[in-house]
Amino acid sequence: MPRRLRWVKISLLTFALLLAAKGSPAQQRPWMDTSLSPDQRADLALKELTLDEKIDLLHGNGMRGWAGAPHRNALLGNGGAGFVLGVPRLGIPMIQMSDAAYGVRSSAENGRYSTALPSNIAGAASWDTQAACEYGALIGRELRAQGFNMTLGGGVNLARELRNGRNFEYQGEDPILAGTMVGNRIKCEQAQHVIGDTKHFAVNDQETGREEVNSVIGKRAMRESDLLAFQIAIEIGKPGAVMCSYNALNGDYACENRWLLTDVLRKDWNFKGFVVSDWGATHSTVKASAAGLDIEQPLEDYYGEKLKQAVQIGKVPMAELDEHVRRVLRSEFAAGIVDDPVRKSVVDVEGGFAVSQRLAEQSAVLLKNEGGLLPLDKNKIHSIAVIGPHADTGMISGGGSAQVDPPAGYQPVWKSHVWFPTSPLKAVSAHATGASVQFSSGGNPAEAAELAKKSDVALVFVYQWTSEDFDLPNLSLPENQDALIEQVAAANPHTIVVLETGSAVTMPWFSKVGGVLEAWFAGSKGADAVANILFGDINPSGKLPITFPRSERDMPHPTMTLPTPEQLDKSAVMKTGEAKATFEVHYDEDLKVGYKWYDAEHKEVLFPFGFGLSYSTFGYYGLKLSSANGVTVNFTLKNTGKRQGMEVAQVYASLPQTSGEPPKRLVGWSKVSLQPGESRDVSITIDPRYLSIYDEQGDAWKLLPGEYMLSVGGSSRDLPLQEKIRLK
Ligand code: BGC
């Protein structure tokens, strides 16, 4: 054998022997064995980690724009809100996190592009879990395309306070609707192989003074409302992460609240993922760690060197540290980001437009349609006035960390009004090709009224901008828009108001206009969606996920509890070395969130929870209840109108008198599509927990024996079918 060949042979033999001694790649890295469970894989990887590597997994490395000098690892970031380091020698990737409430944030800064979906509250208004799934899947895809493997979306705080500037990021006032919708969003978002998240845990229900406020609320009320929304979201979506909120809850800051993070989240709900602090919401090392906070963001004020030292001197037990690390690793394996590392690609712009438009069409809520003014008949209308600030060029979007940047624009500054280039004027003109379509900004109401007067119809696009870090002073439309509508409607009763809002608004002009459509913050293709509805290509099917009260005076808290300027001083909170909230908000309406309040207090409302019109009409017949395996509600739904449409049939339960519950609660629904004249038998099985109360003493859900009334219909105040059932 030639020498050279012999050498090759020997080398190959040596290599084979070495390989046999070390084991196959899977044996060398057993945590990469995909047949093992995420828990097993996390345990195996954890064993390999040094103390420094463990600490690396538990804190952020800075955020662009955050106060102070850039972090030493800043350049490793992907331009998102935060990231934690990986362990390259073990194949564990960095977790690159991005805000992604209604689309991926920071596109402008990063020179990328993201689709803006309709806002989250709009998503809830679709009452369609399939739509929620599409919502999450799109965001998951666009996150990965942009190099992120974790979302910071998934907000599910209840709209206890209608002036809360972040209501547009949440899913309304009912825990079952909100939890179900966001759970489905998270499920489909994570299916794209990104770590899902739900936030802000918990009772962060107003923005003003959010870092200094102590939210005071009873445990039963919390379990049956704000916490129930999270519980359902976690059960359905199994998010890899939960973000604890800025505020304190019944005395302890949420991110160091042992009852919240350990007793409820980890033990009672069996949450297996990790808890990440909201940005700057960590207030301690030992207390937070013992309470169950796993990751500090965006820096390492408490979870870097301080955490390491606390472990070294035994103030934080190694087992506790390992538990944090295990949870982070487990979520990485469970979400698939280890086995399917992110590969950047170009966002599917056209595909995103299609999804965004479809969701906007499903989410818009028709609130008034006097005398069948809508849909507009293009053959009969010769002139249309399109009125409203920016109605020629765009539609408003929600601000703060949820902000999606518009294409071909500028770099929006924090809390600025951002108009998306989806033009109502163009969209309306495209439908009404035979008509004269003219625009007035409404800056001069008299001029707008003049235009309305000489037009067949006036479409008035009005807005209420809302944002993180901001609460509405009241529910009135800003910028004199109420007066604008009044004047236009006085000039032409065929006035249709299109609302672009993040929460409820009051409507002093309501009786004077012919139509009202709630379009919310409608996303990248909002104008096309709205025009399709106005001209009848789409039959509206959204229903309100919040009550619209007649006035702030009717709300549980006619005025908000605001901090004094001294109470807003965060440094005062921190001087003692211990964090203490400086003012309190008492959620003493307790169980009576949203419609439950107005029902219990016998208050009329402008629009009830669950309300929304269609161009068709629906009949409800033949309610039958059975309690064989839990309670099942059967009834027949018929499209009694002249065109195909979708109805959200809702089921409410009234608990036995002795329960002390508000008059009724939503316990189920079904969104059904029907052709004209078509009937369908609908069957909805109610989760027994949704009929239960939270028994504070026994610390458990309890189904009370007694008589339950189940009501079925098209809104919380239109329930034609009612039937009683006795439960043991
Ligand atoms: C917000 C979070 C957000 C985080 C990171 C905070 O101000 O409350 O919702 O995820 O910033 O941008």
Side-chain angles (χ1 to χ4, degrees):
M1 187 182 291
R3 262 178 96 178
R4 207 184 195 161
L5 212 62
R6 206 165 44 198
W7 187 86
V8 171
K9 227 176 152 184
I10 291 169
S11 307
L12 277 174
L13 199 69
T14 321
F15 181 70
L17 282 172
L18 270 176
L19 206 67
K22 282 192 95 183
S24 65
Q27 283 167 319
Q28 288 166 33
R29 287 183 159 188
W31 55 91
M32 296 305 265
D33 179 351
T34 52
S35 69
L36 299 177
S37 71
D39 291 289
Q40 291 169 318
R41 297 176 71 182
D43 280 338
L44 288 166
L46 174 64
K47 282 193 204 140
E48 304 291 322
L49 298 182
T50 65
L51 178 58
D52 285 326
E53 285 169 335
K54 289 178 185 176
I55 301 285
D56 279 350
L57 290 182
L58 303 180
H59 65 78
N61 299 274
M63 176 191 188
R64 212 162 34 194
W66 196 263
H71 189 275
R72 61 184 183 283
N73 293 327
L75 288 176
L76 297 174
N78 185 50
F83 65 102
V84 298
L85 295 180
V87 191
R89 69 180 183 91
L90 303 183
I92 307 295
M94 290 192 270
I95 304 180
Q96 297 284 357
M97 311 172 176
S98 175
D99 283 301
Y102 61 92
V104 182
R105 185 188 180 189
S106 298
S107 301
E109 268 177 308
N110 292 320
R112 301 174 189 148
Y113 168 85
S114 308
T115 303
L117 294 172
S119 56
N120 303 82
I121 196 169
S126 76
W127 294 60
D128 182 339
T129 51
Q130 194 46 46
C133 179
E134 265 197 85
Y135 199 114
L138 179 125
I139 291 180
R141 285 196 300 275
E142 294 198 359
L143 280 164
R144 283 181 62 91
Q146 303 187 26
F148 295 109
N149 55 11
M150 177 167 168
T151 171
L152 301 171
V156 73
N157 296 75
L158 288 194
R160 276 187 178 269
E161 171 51 72
L162 285 174
R163 286 157 295 211
N164 179 359
R166 293 189 94 169
N167 282 341
F168 78 92
E169 284 187 58
Y170 303 140
Q171 310 268 339
E173 67 191 25
D174 181 83
I176 298 176
L177 176 66
T180 305
M181 294 301 287
V182 94
N184 278 282
R185 171 224 162 117
I186 293 168
K187 186 169 80 184
C188 297
E189 198 171 15
Q190 283 200 156
Q192 302 300 320
H193 297 162
V194 295
I195 296 177
D197 168 56
T198 184
K199 68 187 185 184
H200 305 88
F201 195 55
V203 201
N204 178 186
D205 295 346
Q206 75 176 47
E207 284 299 284
T208 316
R210 62 184 179 170
E211 290 169 55
E212 294 86 17
V213 70
N214 180 26
S215 299
V216 181
I217 178 170
K219 279 195 180 157
R220 171 172 167 189
M222 210 178 344
R223 288 287 202 151
E224 291 185 27
S225 57
D226 304 59
L227 294 189
L228 180 58
F230 279 99
Q231 187 175 2
I232 296 170
I234 291 167
E235 285 167 4
I236 297 175
K238 302 188 176 50
V242 166
M243 184 191 291
C244 52
S245 53
Y246 281 123
N247 57 294
L249 178 60
N250 291 339
D252 280 323
Y253 270 104
C255 292
E256 54 185 41
N257 191 315
R258 194 182 161 83
W259 176 80
L260 185 67
L261 304 185
T262 294
D263 298 348
V264 175
L265 181 65
R266 285 184 179 183
K267 291 193 181 154
D268 193 24
W269 298 351
N270 199 21
F271 172 67
K272 294 207 183 310
F274 61 85
V275 174
V276 56
S277 75
D278 199 342
W279 268 230
T282 308
H283 296 293
S284 59
T285 303
V286 176
K287 185 176 177 188
S289 171
L293 174 70
D294 300 301
I295 292 185
E296 175 190 1
Q297 281 292 348
L299 279 163
E300 49 178 317
D301 295 339
Y302 299 98
Y303 269 38
E305 200 47 39
K306 281 190 190 160
L307 180 58
K308 184 176 171 186
Q309 279 169 18
V311 172
Q312 283 165 336
I313 59 173
K315 281 196 162 175
V316 169
M318 184 59 89
E320 191 176 292
L321 184 83
D322 283 352
E323 180 60 17
H324 298 313
V325 177
R326 183 182 295 113
R327 285 172 174 273
V328 175
L329 291 168
R330 187 199 182 274
S331 290
E332 295 199 48
F333 287 116
I337 70 167
V338 180
D339 304 322
D340 183 15
V342 156
R343 280 178 300 273
K344 288 189 182 178
S345 59
V346 177
V347 165
D348 175 3
V349 180
E350 295 284 332
F353 275 169
V355 173
S356 191
Q357 181 170 329
R358 199 160 52 240
L359 295 178
E361 288 166 350
Q362 284 233 39
S363 310
V365 185
L366 182 61
L367 295 174
K368 181 171 185 183
N369 189 12
E370 186 86 14
L373 180 59
L374 292 170
L376 301 174
D377 184 343
K378 6 186 151 173
N379 300 320
K380 292 200 183 128
I381 290 178
H382 306 293
S383 52
I384 302 178
V386 173
I387 297 168
H390 300 263
D392 53 340
T393 53
M395 293 180 83
I396 194 80
S397 58
S401 60
Q403 184 69 62
V404 175
D405 298 337
Y410 44 92
Q411 204 160 313
V413 291
W414 181 248
K415 283 166 66 180
S416 55
H417 288 38
V418 175
W419 297 84
F420 258 75
T422 173
S423 156
L425 179 64
K426 278 192 196 155
V428 168
S429 306
H431 277 269
T433 41
S436 130
V437 184
Q438 289 189 57
F439 168 72
S440 160
S441 74
N444 178 344
E447 203 179 276
E450 202 48 46
L451 175 63
K453 200 169 184 169
K454 57 179 197 202
S455 308
D456 290 341
V457 289
L459 305 175
V460 192
F461 288 79
V462 291
Y463 80 97
Q464 165 213 59
W465 173 80
T466 64
S467 170
E468 175 182 344
D469 197 13
F470 168 86
D471 291 312
L472 291 165
N474 52 53
L475 299 183
S476 301
L477 290 169
E479 274 200 69
N480 215 21
Q481 294 176 98
D482 281 335
L484 170 67
I485 299 170
E486 292 272 0
Q487 289 194 40
V488 170
N492 186 342
H494 290 172
T495 290
I496 293 149
V497 176
V498 178
L499 297 163
E500 303 167 32
T501 78
S503 189
V505 286
T506 47
M507 305 182 196
W509 34 261
F510 178 69
S511 63
K512 296 171 194 145
V513 301
V516 182
L517 179 71
E518 173 58 85
W520 313 105
F521 301 149
S524 295
K525 292 289 276 181
D528 298 275
V530 166
N532 277 347
I533 291 173
L534 295 178
F535 287 92
D537 294 344
I538 295 288
N539 191 352
S541 63
K543 300 262 189 176
L544 293 179
I546 47 173
T547 306
F548 279 43
R550 288 182 313 178
S551 118
E552 294 84 355
R553 285 191 302 281
D554 291 336
M555 303 196 323
H557 301 277
T559 52
M560 278 180 74
T561 310
L562 303 176
T564 61
E566 301 76 54
Q567 289 168 336
L568 262 180
D569 181 2
K570 195 170 170 243
S571 58
V573 181
M574 305 301 294
K575 264 178 209 152
T576 56
E578 196 199 354
K580 281 247 180 301
T582 58
F583 78 110
E584 296 193 331
V585 171
H586 291 257
Y587 291 105
D588 47 13
E589 73 281 5
D590 231 42
L591 291 167
K592 294 182 270 180
V593 191
Y595 61 94
K596 294 169 186 162
W597 166 261
Y598 303 97
D599 283 354
E601 302 291 316
H602 306 288
K603 285 182 193 285
E604 287 302 315
V605 296
L606 186 56
F607 296 109
F609 174 81
F611 178 81
L613 300 169
S614 160
Y615 295 146
S616 206
T617 47
F618 300 93
Y620 288 79
Y621 313 94
L623 175 61
K624 283 192 206 75
L625 306 180
S626 81
S627 62
N629 289 317
V631 175
T632 302
V633 179
N634 296 292
F635 56 95
T636 304
L637 183 66
K638 182 174 183 189
N639 182 342
T640 50
K642 292 198 179 65
R643 54 173 295 175
Q644 181 276 340
M646 284 191 273
E647 169 72 334
V648 180
Q650 302 155 44
V651 183
Y652 294 82
S654 306
L655 272 61
Q657 283 272 303
T658 51
S659 65
E661 288 288 313
K664 64 174 177 292
R665 52 164 85 156
L666 178 76
V667 292
W669 71 91
S670 179
K671 190 165 187 174
V672 186
S673 171
L674 293 169
Q675 293 300 326
E678 187 187 349
S679 291
R680 179 95 49 89
D681 291 338
V682 181
S683 179
I684 299 173
T685 300
I686 313 295
D687 182 335
R689 186 178 41 183
Y690 298 170
L691 297 169
S692 304
I693 63 152
Y694 199 82
D695 172 22
E696 236 183 288
Q697 262 141 30
D699 215 4
W701 291 96
K702 194 168 169 186
L703 188 74
L704 300 173
E707 199 169 66
Y708 289 70
M709 163 94 94
L710 285 140
S711 313
V712 180
S715 94
S716 66
R717 292 224 170 154
D718 178 16
L719 298 164
L721 305 181
Q722 298 196 325
E723 188 80 40
K724 286 181 181 155
I725 190 165
R726 187 161 276 284
L727 299 179
K728 290 186 211 110

